[in-house]
Amino acid sequence: MVGQQIRQQRPHLGAGLVELCGGFGPVGTARVIAEVGDRVPVGAIGYGSESLAAISRFHLAFLAGQVQSELFVVLVPGADPERDRAVFDNGGGAAFTVVAVPDVEAAERVAAGARVGLVELFGGLGADAAARVHAAAGGAPVGSMVYGIESMDAASAFRSAAGQAA
């Protein structure tokens, strides 16, 4: 369903890249890839071994109905993390926060000031950023974007086009 919506709306949205949150997992991501095809690279958040126990606890708490705060950090050139953010009340004192940052250093500062159950990185923040944000966030689980082999060619083409446009 999500992949079908992306495929149908892409010409109107101009989406050249799809980054899915960690909640999709491999099964959900595979469904989106199957629906979208190879026209749009599709990646999903993955977690390293240093985050697996903590993300498992987060997931079990979620399944038990315990809401926790989440932080999504998106790399956007020229962003101002104080201004370029959205905070949604999840109830029970928990929030879902999305913050645009201009660089890894800003991502570290944002994560250091957050009290969250998980952090997910989007927009090109990779493994180095995940390691740095993990340390800044006091060990909170941090996931970063992962692309499977089926999306590599399209992701590479997107990166080349984005670099030429900059």
Side-chain angles (χ1 to χ4, degrees), residues 93-105:
F96 171 67
T97 303
V98 181
V99 180
V101 298
D103 52 40
V104 177
E105 291 77 16

Side-chain angles (χ1 to χ4, degrees), residues 76-150:
V76 177
D80 176 351
E82 295 302 316
R83 179 193 68 221
D84 301 325
R85 62 175 50 229
V87 180
F88 304 93
D89 182 0
N90 278 350
F96 171 67
T97 303
V98 181
V99 180
V101 298
D103 52 40
V104 177
E105 291 77 16
E108 289 175 292
R109 287 190 301 276
V110 167
R115 296 175 59 88
V116 296
L118 67 77
V119 179
E120 294 190 350
L121 305 178
F122 298 87
L125 293 166
D128 178 65
R132 292 170 59 179
V133 168
H134 178 73
V142 176
S144 60
M145 198 54 52
V146 178
Y147 290 91
I149 194 71
E150 66 279 342

Side-chain angles (χ1 to χ4, degrees), residues 23-54:
F24 275 80
V27 173
T29 302
R31 287 183 185 140
V32 172
I33 290 169
E35 291 180 26
V36 170
D38 62 359
R39 293 176 307 282
V40 179
V42 177
I45 293 290
Y47 289 87
S49 60
E50 69 283 343
S51 291
L52 293 180

Side-chain angles (χ1 to χ4, degrees), residues 67-69 89-95:
V67 182
Q68 299 175 63
S69 291
D89 182 0
N90 278 350

